[in-house]
Amino acid sequence: MLKGPMQEAEAAVARVLGEYETALGGLRAAVPALAPALSRARALILAMKGRLVVAGMGKSGHVGRKLAATFASTGTPAIFVHPAEASHGDLGMVAADDVLLMLSWSGETRELSDLIGHAKRYRIPIVSLTGAKGATLARRSDVALVLPMEREACPMELAPTTSTLLQLAMGDALAIAVLEARGFGPEDFRGFHPGGKLGAALLPVSEVMHAGDRLPLVDARTSVLETVAEVGRKGFGIVGVTEGGRLAGVVTDGDLRRYLEANVGGTMAEVMQGRTAGEIMTPGGITIEPDRLAMTALATLRERRIGAAFVTEGGRPVGLVTLLQLLGVGVA
C-alpha cells in the first residue's frame, strides 16, 4: 500500500528524530572519556581575562553564533568572528587575553588556518569542537573536544544535521558547566535579559507589586461594614488586616460571603456593624518577600490556588501582588 504525503512526512521526521536520539545517546556515553578535556576547557574559559571568541564556517559557523550568544547571556563575555572576515582584518578582534572556541566537524576547514596561526603567534588558547581526532584543528588545539562520529540524518549523509546537533549540544552543555562554576544565578541572569517575557519573569516582586495608596489595608478593629467598603474601593477582592502595623491576616470576598451566609437571619445593620475585621479574617495568610522573582511569585499563587498575596517586609505589608497583574506584565 502506497504512503500518502502526510504519512511520508511523518515517517521521515520520526526517522530523523530517532537518529538524533541515538546520536545524543552516543554523546552522553562519550562524556566520561571527554571529562578531562571538558574540565580543561572550562578552566580556560573561567580563567580568561578577555572574551570567548567563537569561530566556524558554514553550518558550524551558524552553531557558533548561537553558542556565542549563549555564553554571553550566561555571564561569559563572548563574540563570534567569521573566519573569512578574520583573514581580512578581523584578526584584530582576537586579543592575547581571549580564548578561541573553534568549530569544524571535519577539522580541516581551511578558512580557520589564519585564526589558528594568529592564536599560536599570540599564545591564545584554542578549544575545538570537532568530530575528527587526528585532523589539523584537533592537533593544533590546546583542548580538543572530539565528539563521536554519528551518521548524518540526511539520507545522502551530506547535509550537516546530526553533526551540528552534537556541536550545539556539547557547546550548550559547556556553557552551563561554566555558568554553574561561576555561581551565576537568577539575579545575574536578569541583568542580561531585561526584555520580553523572560525579563518580566526575572523582575523582583518589588518592581511589579501594587503599593502606597493602592494597598488595601484595614486595622483589626475596623468594622465589617468599613472592611467591605475597602474591598470595593481597591477592587482586589482582598484586604490585609493589621495589628500594630504588622499583617495579622486577610479578609477576602470569600470570607465576607461566608460571614454573611452564616448570619443570614439578622438585619444588614446588625450583621455589618456588630463585628470587626479582626474577628472574621483568615489569620496569617500567604505572604511573599519583595526581593522574590516575579516568576516565583506566580508559581506560589498558582500552587496555593489563590488570586493575590501580600508582600511583607519584617512582617509589615508593603505591597500586593495579584495573579492577573503578573499575567498582565508578561510573567507566564
Side-chain angles (χ1 to χ4, degrees), residues 247 287-290 310-319:
L247 187 70
T287 61
I288 295 172
E289 298 81 16
F310 278 91
V311 181
T312 59
E313 199 165 25
R316 296 178 178 273
V318 295

Side-chain angles (χ1 to χ4, degrees), residues 31-328:
V31 167
L34 287 169
L38 286 168
S39 180
R40 293 197 303 275
R42 186 179 72 165
L44 280 173
I45 296 170
L46 285 169
M48 72 183 184
K49 293 182 173 62
R51 300 169 300 181
L52 183 67
V53 180
V54 187
M57 283 295 294
K59 304 301 185 293
S60 290
H62 293 308
V63 173
R65 287 184 187 276
K66 191 275 177 188
L67 292 181
T70 297
F71 274 100
S73 71
T74 54
T76 299
I79 61 168
F80 178 82
V81 171
H82 194 286
E85 297 294 339
S87 299
H88 294 274
D90 281 2
L91 280 176
M93 300 172 68
V94 189
D97 287 338
D98 296 336
V99 170
L100 266 168
L101 175 61
M102 305 181 79
L103 287 76
S104 170
W105 193 245
S106 69
E108 298 292 350
T109 305
R110 63 178 181 273
E111 290 88 350
L112 295 177
S113 60
D114 288 338
L115 268 170
I116 294 173
H118 180 77
K120 294 303 176 185
R121 188 175 305 116
Y122 292 98
R123 300 177 183 270
I124 300 168
I126 298 175
V127 177
S128 60
L129 277 173
T130 181
K133 183 177 182 179
T136 300
L137 179 59
R139 288 187 285 104
R140 300 296 299 277
S141 297
D142 296 270
V143 179
L145 297 171
V146 182
L147 310 183
M149 289 287 285
E150 302 288 344
R151 73 183 303 276
E152 300 286 11
C154 167
M156 298 172 290
E157 290 198 64
L158 296 175
T161 46
T162 306
S163 57
T164 49
L165 172 72
L166 295 184
Q167 286 177 316
L168 179 62
M170 181 54 74
D172 277 346
L174 180 59
I176 299 305
V178 172
L179 173 155
E180 291 178 348
R182 288 191 194 283
F184 192 86
E187 290 299 321
D188 304 297
F189 202 78
R190 180 169 66 90
F192 293 108
H193 298 81
K197 287 189 174 182
L198 187 54
L202 293 169
L203 285 172
V205 167
S206 59
E207 292 190 23
V208 298
M209 68 186 185
H210 297 288
D213 292 340
R214 290 290 293 149
L215 204 54
L217 294 173
V218 296
D219 185 82
R221 295 164 295 185
T222 303
S223 70
V224 172
L225 185 60
E226 281 299 316
T227 302
V228 171
E230 179 70 356
V231 171
R233 279 192 297 267
K234 301 299 170 63
F236 296 118
I238 188 173
V239 293
V241 181
T242 63
E243 291 180 343
R246 300 174 69 86
L247 187 70
V250 298
V251 175
T252 66
D253 283 337
D255 292 323
L256 291 170
R257 185 178 62 252
R258 286 185 288 273
Y259 172 67
L260 293 173
E261 289 172 350
N263 294 272
V264 70
T267 66
M268 183 59 71
E270 291 171 338
V271 170
M272 302 299 268
Q273 294 286 4
R275 305 291 293 276
T276 65
E279 292 176 286
I280 69 167
M281 71 180 182
T282 299
I286 307 303
T287 61
I288 295 172
E289 298 81 16
D291 58 352
R292 291 274 292 277
L293 297 181
M295 64 180 184
T296 308
L298 179 63
T300 298
L301 296 182
R302 284 176 164 169
E303 181 183 330
R304 305 306 289 265
R305 300 191 178 188
I306 55 177
F310 278 91
V311 181
T312 59
E313 199 165 25
R316 296 178 178 273
V318 295
L320 179 76
V321 63
T322 70
L323 184 61
L324 289 177
Q325 171 197 16
L326 292 171
L327 295 176

